[in-house]
């Protein structure tokens, strides 16, 4: 049974989060083993919404073109009262991170795309591998290594070793349970019936939310003429009853879908829970293994993909010895609060979708109608500004001296469309896969010439100058110069002091080096790098 093979990282679970983690690790040149107990990726619809941040992560992997080719981009939501009148419309149009904020996809297609990409690219780059029909049945963690016992498809046992294990094995995580980590939070009393339809008759590209106290319901669009309905169930309604053809036809009849082919029917109970800790020594929890989110905001899978991107680049930097192991302490430190904010958003949206009674529904819907008369409030909801933006107050960040707050530090860098002398694309296409040093449009190109040649060898940042529209000019040697095509990025940052942004591989801004205090900023980042090696 014993094997001498040591994998720099092992990922357990080949759902969206595990596949994303494995692809990113391979992209960052880490030899990774992906383990999945099932023979294939998921074959039934589950998650149906992928957001702009997740598509940006797919861009980092290199698979975004394939993903968007099978997705419906940029859909909105209409909220209806029990009487059928629309009291709220959500129509986000901004593409702050390069992609539409809400997009419909099919999880079986998405997972297969990620698996195909991993198998086609990872093995050739660094001999990474994916073992399907392989179950993790035991593990033992030592001070420097984790020893895993895997059961292969033929029943044989194989032992592999790794310094780092990433558990992406879902809400019933075997790894989390073996570690004795508790999921704290609550479970919804209400049960919901999920119906996935093929060949829908509804050509609408938007979500419809029926806020009827008698039977709340959601209708969500999908690609390839698919559509999902979610109906809240009543006390006493049993699963055999509600999944029967007679019952589902009765529910779908008011929507004109009673004869539409049904792909899947499933009863769900939703959870709002979070693991008490996301790490045990050299083992990390990602996605549903770390937090469970109600579906009302469409953020469950997307939160897990944020976890994956945050952790993957840090693991790669530590495995490769470029940054110290204390960097890994920032994973939960950075991700926990935002994951909880997404859970809270889902709970708030659930209150709108599931009014307790007619009076509650009337009050909520009247309030939204009133707010729609105020332009700023109307834009707030229409553009989904209520969705908490990812931001970090602590972690792998250099906030500067004297506790000053710099806009964008700890935030996801906006991604404009840019053009260089010979091509056009999204900004990340010019930043590469590692750290980048990006000049603000108001900063002079000569600022790069003030930097030392051996600037932060552990980061080796790629140097990119973003220029305002109409100001494209060649930069100094080693600097890629691009122009902000639409000018939205330039306008959004024009009040930030002139300088350079240190951008991490997950596209969060780690530091701002002001033109005025450039040397101090360089020292602050050097101290940040050093802190990843210091003992607590």
């Amino acid at each position: 049974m014993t094997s001498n093979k040591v994998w720099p990282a092992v990922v357990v679970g080949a759902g969206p989060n595990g596949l994303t983690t494995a692809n990113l690790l391979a992209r960052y040149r880490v030899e990774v083993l992906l383990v999945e107990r099932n023979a294939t990726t998921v074959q039934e619809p589950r998650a149906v919404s992928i957001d702009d941040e997740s598509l940006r992560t797919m861009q980092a992997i290199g698979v975004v073109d394939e993903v968007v080719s099978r997705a419906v981009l940029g859909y909105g939501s209409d909220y209806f009262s029990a009487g059928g009148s629309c009291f709220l419309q959500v129509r986000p149009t901004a593409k702050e991170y390069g992609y539409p904020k809400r997009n419909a996809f099919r999880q079986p297609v998405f997972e297969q795309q990620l698996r195909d990409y991993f198998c086609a690219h990872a093995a050739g780059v660094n001999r990474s591998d994916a073992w399907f029909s392989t179950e993790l049945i035991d593990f033992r963690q030592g001070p420097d290594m984790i020893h895993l016992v895997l059961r292969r498809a033929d029943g044989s046992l194989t032992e592999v070793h790794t310094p780092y294990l990433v558990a992406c094995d879902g809400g019933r995580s075997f790894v989390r349970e073996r570690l004795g980590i508790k999921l704290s939070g609550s479970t919804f009393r209400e049960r919901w019936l999920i119906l996935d339809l093929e060949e829908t008759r509804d050509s609408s590209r938007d979500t419809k939310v029926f806020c009827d106290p008698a039977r709340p319901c959601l209708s969500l669009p999908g690609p390839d003429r698919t559509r999902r309905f979610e109906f809240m169930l009543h006390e006493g309604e049993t699963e055999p009853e509600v999944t029967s053809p007679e019952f589902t036809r009765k529910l779908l009849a008011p929507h004109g879908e009673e004869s539409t082919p049904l792909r899947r029917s499933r009863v769900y109970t939703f959870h709002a829970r979070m693991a008490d800790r996301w790490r045990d020594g050299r083992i990390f929890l990602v996605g549903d293994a770390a937090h469970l989110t109600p579906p009302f905001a469409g953020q469950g899978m997307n939160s897990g993909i944020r976890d994956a991107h945050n952790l993957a680049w840090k693991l790669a930097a530590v495995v490769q010895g470029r940054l110290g192991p204390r960097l890994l302490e920032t994973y939960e430190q950075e991700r926990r609060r935002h994951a909880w904010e997404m859970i809270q958003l889902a709970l708030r949206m659930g209150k709108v979708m599931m009014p307790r009674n007619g009076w509650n529904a009337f009050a909520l819907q009247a309030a939204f109608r009133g707010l729609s008369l105020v332009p700023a409030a109307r834009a707030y909801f229409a553009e989904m500004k209520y969705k908490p933006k990812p931001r970090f107050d602590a972690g792998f960040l250099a906030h500067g001296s004297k506790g000053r707050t710099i806009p964008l530090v700890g935030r996801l860098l906006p991604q404009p469309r840019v053009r260089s002398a010979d091509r056009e694309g999204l900004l990340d296409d010019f930043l590469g896969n590692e750290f980048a040093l990006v000049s603000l449009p108001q900063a002079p190109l000569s600022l790069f010439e003030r930097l030392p040649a051996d600037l932060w060898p552990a980061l080796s940042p790629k140097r990119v100058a973003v220029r305002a529209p109409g100001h494209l000019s060649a930069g100094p040697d080693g600097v890629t110069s691009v122009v902000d095509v639409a000018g939205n990025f330039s306008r959004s940052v024009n009040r930030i002091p002139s300088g350079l942004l240190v951008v991490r591989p997950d596209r969060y801004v780690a530091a701002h080096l002001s033109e005025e205090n450039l040397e101090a900023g360089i020292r602050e980042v050097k101290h940040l790098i050093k802190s990843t090696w210091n003992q607590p």
Side-chain angles (χ1 to χ4, degrees), residues 9 11 13-34 41 57-64 67 110-123 125-126 128-130 132 168 308-309 312-313 316 433:
V11 177
N17 303 319
L19 286 161
T20 296
T21 304
N23 269 293
L24 285 168
L25 286 169
R27 188 76 164 181
Y28 298 141
R29 304 181 308 281
V30 173
E31 188 179 359
V32 57
L33 173 64
L34 175 63
T41 51
T57 297
M58 297 306 111
Q59 181 187 356
I61 291 172
V63 74
V64 70
V67 173
F110 178 59
E111 289 193 10
Q112 189 62 51
Q113 289 170 326
L114 286 174
R115 180 183 180 179
D116 289 346
Y117 193 87
F118 182 79
C119 293
H121 294 83
V125 171
N126 59 12
S128 293
D129 205 353
F132 281 72
C168 304
H309 207 166
W313 78 263
N433 295 323

Side-chain angles (χ1 to χ4, degrees), residues 196-207:
D196 286 297
L197 279 58
E198 306 277 354
E199 306 299 326
T200 178
R201 297 181 178 183
D202 189 343
S203 60
S204 169
R205 57 178 285 111
D206 299 312
T207 294

Side-chain angles (χ1 to χ4, degrees), residues 159-404:
E159 185 172 317
V160 299
H161 317 282
T162 181
Y164 295 105
L165 173 65
V166 183
C168 304
D169 51 345
R172 298 179 179 178
S173 169
F174 166 74
V175 174
R176 187 192 65 235
E177 291 181 358
R178 275 290 307 275
L179 293 172
I181 299 175
K182 182 182 177 182
L183 272 179
S184 299
S186 59
T187 295
F188 275 61
R189 178 174 55 84
E190 298 86 357
R191 296 167 303 136
W192 286 72
L193 174 65
I194 310 298
L195 301 176
D196 286 297
L197 279 58
E198 306 277 354
E199 306 299 326
T200 178
R201 297 181 178 183
D202 189 343
S203 60
S204 169
R205 57 178 285 111
D206 299 312
T207 294
K208 299 176 181 179
V209 184
F210 301 95
C211 305
D212 184 353
R215 176 87 73 180
C217 167
L218 288 81
S219 170
L220 302 101
D224 307 322
R225 294 187 63 196
T226 60
R227 199 162 191 94
R228 168 173 290 184
F229 281 84
E230 301 180 1
F231 296 93
M232 196 177 83
L233 300 177
H234 298 150
E235 291 286 345
E237 291 178 333
T238 65
E239 185 162 355
E241 173 191 359
V242 300
T243 56
S244 68
E246 296 78 14
F247 194 92
T248 56
R249 281 197 296 266
K250 180 180 177 181
L251 290 178
L252 293 170
H255 305 279
E257 302 274 20
E258 64 273 19
S259 59
T260 303
L262 183 61
R263 168 76 179 272
R264 182 184 75 137
S265 61
R266 182 82 176 269
V267 174
Y268 277 98
T269 301
F270 299 133
H271 308 275
R273 296 182 177 274
M274 184 169 289
D276 290 348
R277 51 194 171 90
W278 295 15
R279 178 185 184 182
D280 187 290
R282 294 174 171 272
I283 302 173
F284 299 85
L285 306 181
V286 165
D288 285 357
H291 44 78
L292 296 173
T293 306
F296 308 118
Q299 287 296 304
M301 182 199 75
N302 294 296
S303 287
I305 289 177
R306 292 186 195 101
D307 296 345
H309 207 166
N310 187 290
L311 179 61
W313 78 263
K314 294 173 180 177
L315 272 178
V318 173
V319 165
Q320 294 161 354
R322 293 182 288 112
L323 292 172
R326 288 199 67 193
L327 175 67
L328 300 175
E329 297 175 8
T330 67
Y331 164 56
E332 181 178 350
Q333 181 184 32
E334 293 181 349
R335 283 291 307 133
R336 187 180 189 90
R337 188 181 77 170
H338 190 255
W340 183 246
E341 288 176 345
M342 291 295 103
I343 292 174
Q344 294 299 306
L345 172 64
L347 292 173
R348 290 194 296 272
M349 294 182 69
K351 290 180 179 179
V352 177
M353 297 176 187
M354 301 183 298
R356 294 188 300 272
N357 51 54
W359 285 108
N360 182 251
F362 175 80
L364 276 171
Q365 293 158 20
F368 278 112
R369 287 191 175 97
L371 287 170
S372 69
L373 301 176
V374 181
R378 184 168 62 247
Y380 177 80
F381 290 106
E383 290 292 340
M384 284 183 64
K385 294 180 180 179
Y386 52 81
K387 177 185 174 185
K389 285 189 175 182
R391 65 195 187 282
F392 307 141
D393 293 328
F396 190 77
L397 309 170
H399 281 293
S401 60
K402 299 181 181 179
R404 71 182 188 272

Side-chain angles (χ1 to χ4, degrees), residues 60-80:
I61 291 172
V63 74
V64 70
D65 290 341
E66 290 87 340
V67 173
V68 300
S69 72
R70 298 292 303 274
V72 177
L73 301 181
Y75 69 89
S77 295
D78 293 329
Y79 290 74
F80 296 92

Side-chain angles (χ1 to χ4, degrees), residues 78-120:
D78 293 329
Y79 290 74
F80 296 92
S81 68
S85 62
C86 182
F87 65 88
L88 175 65
Q89 284 191 325
V90 177
R91 293 289 188 276
T93 58
K95 297 181 181 179
E96 183 178 4
Y97 301 131
Y99 300 94
K101 291 186 177 181
R102 302 181 71 206
N103 312 282
F105 80 120
R106 306 189 76 178
Q107 186 169 336
V109 173
F110 178 59
E111 289 193 10
Q112 189 62 51
Q113 289 170 326
L114 286 174
R115 180 183 180 179
D116 289 346
Y117 193 87
F118 182 79
C119 293

